[in-house]
């Protein structure tokens, strides 16, 4: 056994280092400031599908802190306090996420720009994907709805629960059932729609169902459906980025946290505390801004032409 | 039997699915950045050999299957059943042709095979990676012809047919890789 050795080659680690440098240069050229926020947080995200890893408070044995699942909350506090455009490259942690493209400890590239439009943000994300891929790639923008209609002949906003279930059962052998629309939508998206996206160009998927808004603003689209001003970016079958036109309404945030909590309660999950500092910051006033999170390890996979995350990180979970 | 959750699924783990013992071949964790995580799992049904693909919600679990792989010595074939013996306890089991499958063409008495037992009964047999078998019939050998690289079919004592180099003759013992069914070398007696 040679378990003390890294899983990534030094050639890959060298390419990863070069990509880090190129990304920092990209932001320096655009006047975006690099920041660092704490990895330990008093409250994790409330998202029902993300579990934080808890750690004991260094000064108080009875209090738990959480390894951040993304730097989102702390960075928004900086933006609300008037930082201007900022980016961060940092570690984020998520319980149980291990696979070919997942490690529970991973590197996130996240940025917020109060000085930019939604379209400008998409352009920047695509520029970074091209930087990582080392190629000039075509970009296509598609709405979530159009992709479902085209690939599955199913309108994700209008379809009934049983239509969604039948469609999923038609495409996949399943071991479970669900009464939750989003579970079916997410399954169809990740198991059927995503693999059908063209591998040789960047696909930007926009206008997600409002139920999957996370912290993005929701507005009505031309056909009157409430859609989240949120986008995801895919290339070579990999999800690389999640971007938002950021929600700024503290009251709406509280409503979404409550909805998360009731979903967590039903699923028998832990009930994490709520980040008061974030709510206060949003109440004080988050400027209109766009923000995005990109999985840096996946960008490194593109840069190294790797098929597993283990090829671009020195020590994955099993070797820490 | 213990229960195994999707994050414990590893290739080789034996679990029960739809009442059938299965061996996990592949477990792919799929998670959208925002949303439910799933595991797309490939399993081999150990009774039928068929491969199943099944999608689980992450965190679901399956019961472990009472399946063990046991090294056993091949004894004899009584015309219907193949008999194997545990060389330490002398316990014996009989396997039908369905369980023995392709292994039948490599079974030589006293060779040690891996027998997969489900609830104590054999459901599959894996022969040793390499077996040494006698050639019972092949075209006459060509002396000195070692470099040309041609091959000819040779019938082995177990009934298997493998391609051998032209210089090999009837009555010789050869080493065969059972995973590929290919000739490896001549065995000097």
């Amino acid at each position: 056994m040679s378990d003390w050795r890294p899983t990534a080659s030094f050639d890959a680690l060298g390419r990863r280092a070069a990509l880090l440098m190129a990304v920092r240069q990209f932001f320096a050229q655009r006047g975006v400031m690099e920041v660092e926020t704490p990895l330990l947080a008093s409250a994790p995200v409330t998202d029902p599908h993300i579990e934080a890893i808890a750690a004991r408070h260094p000064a108080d044995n009875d209090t738990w802190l959480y390894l951040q699942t993304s730097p989102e909350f702390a960075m928004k506090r900086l933006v609300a306090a008037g930082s201007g455009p900022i980016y961060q490259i940092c570690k984020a942690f998520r319980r149980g996420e291990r696979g070919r493209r997942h490690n529970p400890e991973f590197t996130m590239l996240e940025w917020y720009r109060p000085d930019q439009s939604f379209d400008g943000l998409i352009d920047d994300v695509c520029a970074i994907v091209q930087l990582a891929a080392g190629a000039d790639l075509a970009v296509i923008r598609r709405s979530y709805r159009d992709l479902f209609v085209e690939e599955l002949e199913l309108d994700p906003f209008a379809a009934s629960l049983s239509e969604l279930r039948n469609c999923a059962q038609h495409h996949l052998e399943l071991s479970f059932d669900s009464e939750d629309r989003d579970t079916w939508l997410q399954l169809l998206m990740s198991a059927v729609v995503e693999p059908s996206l063209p591998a040789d160009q960047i696909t930007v998927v926009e206008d997600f169902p409002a139920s999957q808004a996370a912290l993005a603003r929701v507005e009505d689209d031309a056909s009157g459906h409430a859609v989240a001003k949120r986008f995801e970016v895919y290339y070579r079958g990999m999800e690389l980025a999640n971007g938002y036109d950021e929600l700024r309404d503290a009251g709406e945030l509280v409503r979404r946290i409550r909805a998360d909590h009731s979903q967590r309660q039903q699923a028998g999950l832990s009930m994490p505390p709520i980040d008061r500092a974030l709510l206060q910051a949003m109440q004080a006033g988050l400027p209109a801004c766009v923000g995005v999170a990109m999985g840096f390890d996946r960008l490194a996979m593109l840069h190294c032409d790797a098929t597993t995350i283990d090829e671009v990180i020195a020590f994955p979970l099993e070797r820490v | 039997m213990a229960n195994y959750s999707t994050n414990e699924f590893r290739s080789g783990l034996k679990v029960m699915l739809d009442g059938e013992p299965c061996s996990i071949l592949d477990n792919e964790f799929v998670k959208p950045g925002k949303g439910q995580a799933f595991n797309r799992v490939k399993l081999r049904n150990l009774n039928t050999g068929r491969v199943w693909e099944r999608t689980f919600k992450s965190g679901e679990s399956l019961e472990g299957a009472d399946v063990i792989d046991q090294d056993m010595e091949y004894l004899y074939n009584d015309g219907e059943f193949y008999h194997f013996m545990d060389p330490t306890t002398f316990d014996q089991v009989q396997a039908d042709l369905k369980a023995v499958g392709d292994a039948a063409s490599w079974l030589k008495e006293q060779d040690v095979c891996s027998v997969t037992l489900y609830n104590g009964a054999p459901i599959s047999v894996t022969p040793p990676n390499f077996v040494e078998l006698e050639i019972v019939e092949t075209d006459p050998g060509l002396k000195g012809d070692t470099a040309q690289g041609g091959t000819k079919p040779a019938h082995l004592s177990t009934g298997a047919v493998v391609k051998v180099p032209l210089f090999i003759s009837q009555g010789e013992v050869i080493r065969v890789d059972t995973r590929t069914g290919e000739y490896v070398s001549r065995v000097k007696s």
Side-chain angles (χ1 to χ4, degrees), chain B residues 5-27:
Chain B
S5 95
T6 51
N7 58 31
E8 296 171 287
F9 286 5
R10 300 272 179 280
S11 133
L13 183 72
K14 311 290 195 300
V15 292
M16 295 300 294
L17 182 64
D18 297 350
E20 298 275 319
C22 295
S23 174
I24 290 176
L25 300 176
D26 189 46
N27 173 22

Side-chain angles (χ1 to χ4, degrees), chain A residues 47 49-50 72 94 96-100 102 172-178 183 186-187 190-191 214 230 239 242 244, chain B residues 6-7 10 17-18 27-40 52-58 60 62:
Chain A
D47 192 313
H49 300 298
I50 296 178
E72 179 168 8
R94 295 179 183 186
E97 299 193 11
R98 180 71 175 114
R100 197 157 63 82
H102 291 86
L172 301 157
E173 290 279 339
L174 301 173
S175 70
F176 60 88
D177 194 9
S178 177
T183 297
Q186 283 152 0
L187 177 64
S190 61
R230 187 187 136 206
E239 180 193 337
N242 244 301
Y244 305 149
Chain B
T6 51
N7 58 31
R10 300 272 179 280
L17 182 64
D18 297 350
N27 173 22
E28 166 119 53
F29 176 78
V30 184
K31 186 179 189 308
K34 300 285 167 193
Q36 172 72 49
F38 302 100
N39 289 68
R40 306 191 63 184
W52 285 348
E53 198 168 330
R54 196 60 72 91
T55 303
F56 295 83
K57 259 204 279 194
S58 293
E60 281 192 280
L62 287 179

Side-chain angles (χ1 to χ4, degrees), chain A residues 16-36 87-91 107-109 128 131 296:
Chain A
R16 181 184 172 110
L19 180 63
L20 262 177
M21 212 145 45
V23 167
R24 289 200 155 101
Q25 204 174 8
F26 177 94
F27 286 109
Q29 281 163 357
R30 285 159 180 78
V32 182
M33 173 171 69
E34 178 164 9
V35 297
E36 289 181 291
Y87 80 98
Q88 179 161 204
I89 300 171
C90 62
K91 286 299 182 80
T107 301
M108 191 83 113
L109 161 61
I128 286 180
L131 201 67
F296 184 79

Side-chain angles (χ1 to χ4, degrees), chain B residues 37-185:
Chain B
F38 302 100
N39 289 68
R40 306 191 63 184
V41 183
K42 277 199 185 121
L43 313 98
R44 169 168 283 123
N45 179 328
L46 293 171
N47 272 330
T48 64
R50 203 164 284 154
V51 175
W52 285 348
E53 198 168 330
R54 196 60 72 91
T55 303
F56 295 83
K57 259 204 279 194
S58 293
E60 281 192 280
S61 59
L62 287 179
E63 195 191 341
D66 184 14
V67 169
I68 54 165
D69 292 326
Q70 171 100 48
D71 282 343
M72 299 188 102
E73 203 176 289
Y74 171 57
L75 294 175
Y76 63 97
N77 174 7
D78 64 12
E80 187 179 2
F81 291 106
Y82 294 78
H83 295 255
F84 296 86
M85 179 177 72
D86 181 331
T88 52
T89 64
F90 306 117
D91 284 345
Q92 293 173 34
V93 295
Q94 52 179 34
D96 59 17
L97 187 59
K98 191 172 139 263
V100 175
D102 295 340
S105 47
W106 308 116
L107 289 181
K108 194 179 78 179
E109 280 137 36
Q110 290 174 32
D111 273 358
V112 175
C113 301
S114 172
V115 178
T116 303
L117 300 166
Y118 170 54
N119 289 335
I123 53 171
S124 80
V125 173
T126 311
N129 290 343
F130 298 99
V131 290
E132 292 177 1
L133 295 167
E134 190 192 331
I135 294 176
V136 292
E137 193 196 325
T138 189
D139 290 339
L142 295 172
K143 255 213 159 62
D145 184 6
T146 55
Q148 207 171 312
T151 61
K152 59 183 180 183
H155 295 257
L156 307 182
S157 52
T158 55
V161 179
V162 297
K163 284 187 179 140
V164 299
L166 298 175
F167 60 83
I168 300 282
S169 21
Q170 193 167 307
E172 281 190 284
V173 175
I174 59 165
R175 191 172 165 80
V176 181
D177 188 329
T178 61
R179 294 162 295 186
T180 58
E182 280 169 7
Y183 163 90
V184 178
S185 64

Side-chain angles (χ1 to χ4, degrees), chain A residues 89-158:
Chain A
I89 300 171
C90 62
K91 286 299 182 80
F93 304 82
R94 295 179 183 186
R95 250 182 99 86
E97 299 193 11
R98 180 71 175 114
R100 197 157 63 82
R101 289 171 183 164
H102 291 86
N103 192 55
E105 171 177 351
F106 62 102
T107 301
M108 191 83 113
L109 161 61
E110 187 148 336
W111 71 95
Y112 292 86
R113 297 195 68 165
D115 60 338
Q116 210 185 31
S117 67
F118 198 62
D119 289 344
L121 179 66
I122 291 175
D123 290 345
D124 276 356
V125 168
C126 294
I128 286 180
V129 176
Q130 309 211 359
L131 201 67
D136 227 355
L137 302 162
V139 176
I140 42 166
R141 291 174 62 164
R142 306 297 310 276
S143 81
Y144 185 90
R145 183 162 180 251
D146 286 352
L147 283 174
F148 269 71
V149 170
E150 215 164 274
E151 200 55 42
L152 303 166
E153 294 174 353
L154 190 81
D155 181 337
F157 295 94

